[in-house]
Amino acid sequence: MRFRTLTLAAASGAALLAAGVLPAHASGPTPSAPTSAQEGSVSAADLLAKVTSCSQISSGKYRTDDETSATVPVCGKNGAVFWKADMDVDCDGQRTTNCNEDRDPWYQDDTAFHQSDGKPLKAESLPYVVVPSSSSIWNYSGAGIKGGGVVAVIYNNKVEYAVVGDTGPTKIIGEASYATAKALGIDPDPATGGADSGVTYILFKNSKVSPIESHSAAVSLGDQLAKQFLQNN
């Protein structure tokens, strides 16, 4: 979880698919972070073409950072929800070389959702997305979004598949793990990195990667869900 008093932006200026579960043989863990994206066979352009307009499902809008006004709605589509925001870098979870108290002034040693062995997630190597904690604005679980759910994160014409891995402040949106940022070519430094705008997050409803820490499973399931998303919207 992340409760910041200073923001990164300021510091830097249906069936298997409906159930969303992959068979066990497709869910071996990936030991290291992805080094680049485009992942899967669905292009960024094709996904973005389906999210050009917003049917707002949140009761209000979110801020991207503490200082900004609330301008970001959560939007609904068939089989998914999405938002367009910035990307702050989340380094919470297991301590690693680049994610620890020394590198991240907001570091916390836990994540809302845990690996299959019960340990927190590892932000440096696992692409995950942070969702706002449930509030009067929006309740993610009520919308079919759960820990381990698949997210297509799109930036600069690249697609990276991630999982829902952590929760954040109730009024702020737009945050993902170190590994997500790095794979998309965004500066992953938790103190000074991130992207000020231009990031689209498409969260597939009722999906779940098992085990949550398997990035290869997220990519395989994400690609299936992305294709279904294009067909249904």
Side-chain angles (χ1 to χ4, degrees):
M1 296 185 183
R2 183 67 52 117
F3 296 95
R4 300 183 173 186
T5 56
L6 175 68
T7 65
L8 295 180
S12 62
L16 178 61
L17 297 182
V21 178
L22 277 180
H25 68 269
S27 54
T30 297
S32 60
T35 55
S36 65
Q38 166 81 37
E39 291 189 328
S41 60
V42 178
S43 72
D46 285 346
L47 287 171
L48 290 175
K50 300 295 185 178
V51 294
T52 56
S53 61
C54 176
S55 175
Q56 184 172 332
I57 62 170
S58 54
S59 298
K61 296 181 179 180
Y62 290 95
R63 301 175 181 180
T64 56
D65 295 294
D66 286 333
E67 307 83 10
T68 61
S69 57
T71 60
V72 181
V74 177
C75 312
K77 298 292 286 188
N78 289 329
V81 303
F82 74 91
W83 55 79
K84 299 180 180 183
D86 65 343
M87 183 184 287
D88 293 335
V89 178
D90 183 64
C91 239
D92 293 345
Q94 296 186 46
R95 288 177 180 84
T96 58
T97 301
N98 290 300
C99 288
N100 53 63
E101 296 90 337
D102 296 331
R103 296 293 304 272
D104 181 3
W106 307 279
Y107 175 78
Q108 297 180 50
D109 62 1
D110 201 5
T111 49
F113 307 106
H114 292 168
Q115 295 181 164
S116 55
D117 62 4
K119 295 180 181 179
L121 302 181
K122 192 177 292 185
E124 186 171 341
S125 58
L126 181 67
Y128 70 71
V129 166
V130 182
V131 297
S133 295
S134 296
S135 71
S136 59
I137 300 176
W138 184 58
N139 180 344
Y140 67 87
S141 60
I145 306 304
K146 62 186 74 177
V150 185
V151 188
V153 188
I154 305 164
Y155 179 77
N156 196 22
N157 204 37
K158 294 179 180 180
V159 179
E160 174 69 12
Y161 289 105
V163 292
V164 175
D166 206 357
T167 57
T170 57
K171 296 182 179 180
I172 295 178
I173 207 166
E175 188 175 2
S177 69
Y178 183 105
T180 311
K182 184 177 180 180
L184 287 168
I186 295 170
D187 181 355
D189 189 292
T192 61
D196 290 336
S197 62
V199 185
T200 299
Y201 304 80
I202 303 176
L203 294 78
F204 299 109
K205 296 180 181 179
N206 302 313
S207 63
K208 187 176 178 64
V209 173
S210 181
I212 190 173
E213 66 269 23
S214 174
H215 181 61
S216 61
V219 176
S220 297
L221 181 55
D223 194 49
Q224 295 177 54
L225 293 172
K227 291 174 182 176
Q228 184 178 11
F229 179 74
L230 296 185
Q231 293 172 354
N232 293 345
N233 288 280

